[in-house]
Amino acid sequence: MGSSSEKKTKEQQLPEDVLFSDIFIKLSAKSVLSLKPVRKSWYSSIKNPKFVDRFLTNSLNRPDGTCLLLTTYDQALSQQYFISSTTDESLERASVCFLSVLETETELAVSQNVNGMFCIYPPAHVTYYQESVDDVYVFNPSTREFLSVPGLPNPPSKNWPGFNFNMISYFFGFDVGSKEYKVLGVCCDVSGVGLRVYGEVECGIFTLGSSNAWRVVKVPVPVSFDPCTPGVCVNGAIHWLIKEQRVILAFDLAHEVFRIIKLEDGIGSGTGMGVATLSYQLQADDDGDGYVDYNDEDEDEHVDDDFEEETRLWPCLIQVGSSLAVLEYDDADLRMWVLKDYQNEQWVMESMDYPYDWNLMHAMPCGSSHTSEFFLCLNYNAGFSIPQIVCCDMERNSYRRINFVEQFEKINSSTVSVSLVGCYPENIMPLPKI
């Protein structure tokens, strides 16, 4: 009788609202999700959108709230594996955890993290000639859930009517106004010159939880760009760096229009953005059609193929904290231009010295933490089985290496290599059903 009374007293001292607001919200995603079967009321509260939003916000502030997502593809088994690793700087070696596996005939690409979730899709060149593309997923690594997105119809080619000579590039974003996650598919007619999107482009938009179908819209693009370039979602828009024309192209997910953001004058000096390496030149709108014209003569005269290939990754567009940034380097330091004032397009430059043994020609930025540190994979696509990862803090001019525990070798086989996809905050949002 006494123990029952004591238990009742403890429950009165810790009502559910206190448990969720002060205790559960500070736990890891794995710990919180394990509590769902305990009580029906807990199950409902954990799925409540308000708690989900607060948990995500708290993940962005927890020291252990940011994780790394890695992937490896086993061609022999036609399986793609997804692996998670901690970024906790208090640990000497980062532990790893197997998340999930996808059965797929080709290695799938993975988008930038958007609030802890990713879009998984076939690379653009795989979508050639296909009437629709079915291997598109939204993946939440915290809940280990996949959402299979219906295939986006591939429209007939303009130059070859009746034939699907298009490729489809996929991007993932979050509409901050409607709080909706959206998959964007950009259709590019590959029968044209340069494999670049120009003029009016056909875009498919799939909104999670809204419908089970793509909505196709035709949108004018104000500048020529390569849709195979990775996109970065910040402030409700997906962004692409157009190095040749010294601008950023943005697609507003709420209004479904493209717009231009100008780069600061100092961005790109000494990193392959000079006139000598331009494939496309920014020109006056002589014909009054509102678009920048493509210039074949300039491409033939100025492009040095070897140099352009060598510097193809730099400068590049990344997200740092909640801001958009351009990362570049030279022989002495890394420079990061941060778009601190998005509306007024005000840039701030930060720099950091880096060790002489870093080979930045094979480096790839892969996201950032809540502290505005960003992760850099030094041997991206360089033939190494284990990624070499450093976490850079530009404000403090410092960096730290992330070393994996020995168990990582057990997940990785001798026939496949592991690639760093990016980092993500833990998000317990359940994916909608289709």
Side-chain angles (χ1 to χ4, degrees):
M1 185 74 176
S3 62
S4 175
S5 176
E6 182 180 350
K7 181 178 180 181
K8 184 176 181 181
T9 302
K10 288 183 178 180
E11 288 182 347
Q12 290 175 344
Q13 292 175 348
L14 292 174
E16 282 196 7
D17 59 340
V18 174
L19 282 173
F20 279 87
S21 62
D22 294 344
I23 299 177
F24 292 171
I25 201 169
K26 299 177 181 179
L27 301 177
S28 67
K30 182 179 179 180
S31 298
V32 169
L33 294 174
S34 69
L35 297 172
K36 290 171 69 175
V38 176
R39 293 183 183 178
K40 288 184 178 180
S41 59
W42 287 14
Y43 179 86
S44 299
S45 296
I46 289 172
K47 294 181 63 176
N48 186 293
K50 291 184 178 179
F51 179 74
V52 170
D53 289 344
R54 290 174 58 202
F55 184 89
L56 174 61
T57 300
N58 198 67
S59 293
L60 294 169
N61 296 309
R62 283 197 346 253
D64 61 344
T66 300
C67 304
L68 293 176
L69 180 66
L70 305 107
T71 186
T72 183
Y73 181 67
D74 192 324
Q75 188 173 5
L77 298 176
S78 296
Q79 292 180 331
Q80 187 157 352
Y81 302 92
F82 296 91
I83 306 160
S84 178
S85 173
T86 180
T87 63
D88 190 348
E89 60 182 307
S90 66
L91 300 176
E92 183 177 346
R93 290 186 174 270
S95 58
V96 295
C97 174
F98 171 78
L99 294 177
S100 191
V101 61
L102 270 179
E103 303 287 338
T104 172
E105 294 299 322
T106 183
E107 183 173 5
L108 302 178
V110 187
S111 75
Q112 164 219 14
N113 135 66
V114 177
N115 292 339
M117 297 195 291
F118 298 84
C119 182
I120 302 173
Y121 55 91
H125 70 271
V126 176
T127 66
Y128 286 179
Y129 318 123
Q130 298 184 20
E131 294 184 0
S132 66
V133 179
D134 298 319
D135 295 331
V136 180
Y137 306 89
V138 173
F139 177 45
N140 185 341
S142 299
T143 63
R144 306 188 184 188
E145 291 181 305
F146 287 94
L147 172 67
S148 179
V149 177
L152 171 63
N154 188 355
S157 169
K158 296 178 181 178
N159 295 331
W160 296 87
F163 295 92
N164 298 94
F165 283 173
N166 292 336
M167 66 179 183
I168 304 176
S169 294
Y170 289 93
F171 308 94
F172 191 43
F174 181 70
D175 185 339
V176 293
S178 63
K179 293 188 175 181
E180 294 175 316
Y181 293 88
K182 298 182 179 181
V183 180
L184 172 68
V186 179
C187 300
C188 176
D189 192 337
V190 300
S191 61
V193 177
L195 302 184
R196 296 178 72 89
V197 169
Y198 179 72
E200 188 176 71
V201 62
E202 192 166 292
C203 296
I205 300 172
F206 186 89
T207 303
L208 272 65
S210 177
S211 67
N212 296 336
W214 290 86
R215 188 165 48 83
V216 178
V217 295
K218 293 184 177 181
V219 188
V221 184
V223 64
S224 170
F225 85 106
D226 178 3
C228 295
T229 304
V232 176
C233 183
V234 173
N235 291 330
I238 300 174
H239 304 80
W240 300 267
L241 177 63
I242 316 298
K243 294 186 289 186
E244 305 86 1
Q245 300 175 13
R246 303 188 56 80
V247 297
I248 292 172
L249 179 67
F251 181 80
D252 189 303
L253 290 168
H255 301 97
E256 298 175 358
V257 294
F258 287 97
R259 73 181 185 92
I260 293 295
I261 299 174
K262 295 181 179 180
L263 295 179
E264 189 81 2
D265 289 341
I267 299 177
S269 58
T271 58
M273 286 184 71
V275 176
T277 61
L278 298 190
S279 298
Y280 296 80
Q281 303 293 322
L282 187 61
Q283 300 176 35
D285 180 22
D286 296 331
D287 53 9
D289 62 358
Y291 295 99
V292 176
D293 297 325
Y294 172 68
N295 189 328
D296 289 306
E297 294 180 1
D298 286 338
E299 180 181 22
D300 295 336
E301 181 179 354
H302 294 299
V303 172
D304 183 325
D305 292 335
D306 293 336
F307 183 72
E308 186 176 7
E309 176 69 16
E310 187 179 33
T311 60
R312 66 190 182 281
L313 297 179
W314 299 90
C316 51
L317 197 63
I318 63 172
Q319 178 182 355
V320 176
S322 59
S323 299
L324 198 64
V326 175
L327 187 67
E328 59 181 6
Y329 80 102
D330 58 24
D331 293 337
D333 61 8
L334 285 167
R335 290 182 299 277
M336 184 168 66
W337 297 79
V338 184
L339 189 56
K340 290 289 189 180
D341 188 338
Y342 186 84
Q343 298 301 325
N344 296 311
E345 301 183 9
Q346 298 295 316
W347 297 84
V348 175
M349 194 270 283
E350 299 171 357
S351 64
M352 186 194 82
D353 300 329
Y354 64 89
Y356 69 92
D357 61 340
W358 287 13
N359 184 0
L360 295 184
M361 288 299 178
H362 292 288
M364 175 65 77
C366 296
S368 63
S369 69
H370 63 280
T371 60
S372 295
E373 293 178 309
F374 71 90
F375 299 93
L376 195 64
C377 183
L378 297 180
N379 59 342
Y380 185 84
N381 281 344
F384 294 88
S385 59
I386 304 297
Q388 298 175 4
I389 302 169
V390 293
C391 184
C392 305
D393 188 329
M394 302 289 275
E395 292 184 356
R396 298 176 182 174
N397 194 26
S398 64
Y399 72 94
R400 59 186 175 91
R401 293 183 181 268
I402 296 179
N403 300 308
F404 296 105
V405 295
E406 292 181 358
Q407 286 84 345
F408 192 85
E409 296 287 355
K410 297 178 182 180
I411 296 176
N412 177 44
S413 75
S414 60
T415 60
V416 295
S417 61
V418 178
S419 300
L420 173 66
V421 172
C423 64
Y424 65 94
E426 291 192 317
N427 186 347
I428 59 173
M429 188 190 91
L431 293 177
K433 305 298 181 183
I434 294 183

